[in-house]
Amino acid sequence: MMLRLILAMNMTELTGAVSGPSTDVAAAVDNVTLFLHIVSGLMLALVTGLMLYFVVRYHRSRHPKAVEVKSNVWLEVTWTVIPTILVMAMFWYGYEGFRMLRDVPDDAMTVKVTARMWNWTFEYENGKSTQELYVPVDKPVKLLMRSVDVIHSFYVPAFRLKEDVVPGSESMAWFKANSVGQTDIFCAEYCGEAHAYMLSRVVVLDSDEFDQWMESELPTPDPEAAAALAIMDAHDCTGCHSLSGSHNPDAPSLKGIFRRETLVERDGKEVKFLADEEYLIRSIRDPGAELVKGYAPTMDAPEDMSDEDLGVVIEYLKRVE
Ligand code: CUA
């Protein structure tokens, strides 16, 4: 009964994850985990059970005088051979799983992943770039990952996929989603204040839909946006202010900031208005003067940002929607 129960369960049910896309590798990882837990459980029961039994059976009241045992070849062979087989089975099982994680199928599609405080960017073979990972179903996807600042860790619980992304080196991971749907991406390495908000999603589409998606909305060359982003990266604006609208407790998102209803404190009073060009310039040149309510004065005015650069950034901010 117990065994049937264990066999009927898989790890997804154990961890209570909602149904969504998964991978064959995830199933293999779950099997290894289950195997290790069952073996460990049985060993624990065996050792503890024998220990308790011996405590009672060979208590001093029953055996006042200890017998001296020299050796017992069969016993020694048994307790050497059985654990060796068990440990080798664990190794083999784990090694097979590890090989599955490292051996990327030849027909894999490559996606470049960039981690930064605090978001993920995904760049596809045709140059398209997104904040969420779009992939076709039943197609291996190889991720080449790098970090532009600190150590992050790419983590997709539903795929049992976790790989550190370390500045100065490129890490690799791959997966093949086996059904259409969505599942969460987390950062699993503490990387600063908004670590917990470094979230994204894997969106698995059927292959026709994916092809359409790839061809649609190809990035049109936008030199003004590229120039503005370069300036903002150089002054580390994007380290705190998201452009995707994702929440960060440190700094308001810049997405749709122009003409956004903004509540600030001015001379100790709360004032509400629509953010205009003048306000944006003031907030960059003198960030502490009129703080958006709910945020701490953590921002310094960017050093040597020329008026010309500031103009480029403002023009860009007017259209990040
Ligand atoms: Cu990135 Cu935690």
Side-chain angles (χ1 to χ4, degrees), residues 2 33 55 57-58 77 80 138 140-141 145-146 165 177 212 214 223-224 232 237 272 274 303 321:
M2 187 61 195
T33 312
V55 164
R57 176 82 171 72
Y58 297 103
V77 168
T80 309
D138 288 330
V141 177
M145 307 191 285
R146 41 179 223 105
V165 189
Q212 268 177 26
M214 267 295 241
E224 285 88 11
M232 288 162 71
C237 310
K272 198 184 263 184
L274 295 182
E303 272 173 44
E321 293 186 329

Side-chain angles (χ1 to χ4, degrees), residues 11-36:
M11 234 45 182
T12 313
E13 288 159 29
L14 281 178
T15 52
V18 286
S19 65
S22 185
T23 62
D24 296 347
V25 172
V29 171
D30 289 353
N31 288 337
V32 175
T33 312
L34 198 56
F35 175 71
L36 292 180

Side-chain angles (χ1 to χ4, degrees), residues 115-120 150-153 187-192 194-196 198:
R116 58 164 61 81
M117 297 146 103
W118 289 279
N119 60 52
W120 302 97
V150 298
I151 304 177
H152 303 272
S153 186
C187 177
E189 180 72 48
Y190 182 69
C191 56
H195 154 74
M198 196 168 158

Side-chain angles (χ1 to χ4, degrees), residues 12 44 81 163 206 237:
T12 313
L44 178 72
V81 170
E163 189 69 37
D206 74 40
C237 310

Side-chain angles (χ1 to χ4, degrees), residues 207-229:
S207 47
D208 289 345
E209 260 182 320
F210 179 78
D211 291 343
Q212 268 177 26
W213 175 85
M214 267 295 241
E215 280 157 34
S216 68
E217 39 173 320
L218 269 174
T220 42
D222 187 344
E224 285 88 11
L229 283 171

Side-chain angles (χ1 to χ4, degrees), residues 26-245:
V29 171
D30 289 353
N31 288 337
V32 175
T33 312
L34 198 56
F35 175 71
L36 292 180
H37 278 85
I38 289 173
V39 170
S40 305
L42 291 176
M43 292 301 280
L44 178 72
L46 180 72
V47 172
T48 314
L50 275 179
M51 193 177 74
L52 292 175
Y53 171 73
F54 289 155
V55 164
V56 176
R57 176 82 171 72
Y58 297 103
H59 190 263
R60 196 165 54 155
S61 58
R62 288 203 178 90
H63 286 265
K65 197 163 183 295
V67 185
E68 199 181 328
V69 180
K70 281 269 177 356
S71 70
N72 184 320
V73 174
W74 283 113
L75 197 56
E76 284 170 21
V77 168
T78 311
W79 78 39
T80 309
V81 170
I82 292 179
T84 306
I85 292 172
L86 273 177
V87 172
M88 290 314 286
M90 286 179 180
F91 166 75
W92 178 80
Y93 224 179
Y95 178 69
E96 284 291 299
F98 175 74
R99 277 213 358 221
M100 276 177 98
L101 292 173
R102 299 322 294 176
D103 287 352
V104 190
D106 291 336
D107 60 335
M109 161 189 127
T110 303
V111 178
K112 284 187 191 151
V113 182
T114 306
R116 58 164 61 81
M117 297 146 103
W118 289 279
N119 60 52
W120 302 97
T121 314
F122 304 98
E123 200 191 318
Y124 305 84
E125 282 159 349
N126 66 354
K128 191 164 181 156
S129 157
T130 56
Q131 301 262 307
E132 289 179 342
L133 178 55
Y134 286 80
V135 296
V137 72
D138 288 330
K139 167 107 180 149
V141 177
K142 179 182 180 182
L143 305 172
L144 292 177
M145 307 191 285
R146 41 179 223 105
S147 165
V148 296
D149 38 49
V150 298
I151 304 177
H152 303 272
S153 186
F154 184 84
Y155 182 33
V156 185
F159 296 171
R160 311 289 185 270
L161 182 74
K162 190 198 267 176
E163 189 69 37
D164 281 1
V165 189
V166 181
S169 77
E170 190 180 63
S171 20
M172 191 282 290
W174 79 275
F175 66 87
K176 189 177 86 177
N178 58 14
S179 68
V180 169
Q182 305 188 350
T183 189
D184 295 321
I185 298 173
F186 295 90
C187 177
E189 180 72 48
Y190 182 69
C191 56
E193 207 166 350
H195 154 74
Y197 297 94
M198 196 168 158
L199 307 169
S200 184
R201 277 186 310 175
V202 186
V203 181
V204 186
L205 303 171
D206 74 40
S207 47
D208 289 345
E209 260 182 320
F210 179 78
D211 291 343
Q212 268 177 26
W213 175 85
M214 267 295 241
E215 280 157 34
S216 68
E217 39 173 320
L218 269 174
T220 42
D222 187 344
E224 285 88 11
L229 283 171
I231 296 167
M232 288 162 71
D233 275 346
H235 292 280
D236 208 19
C237 310
T238 42
C240 297
H241 293 282
S242 88
L243 292 166
S244 62

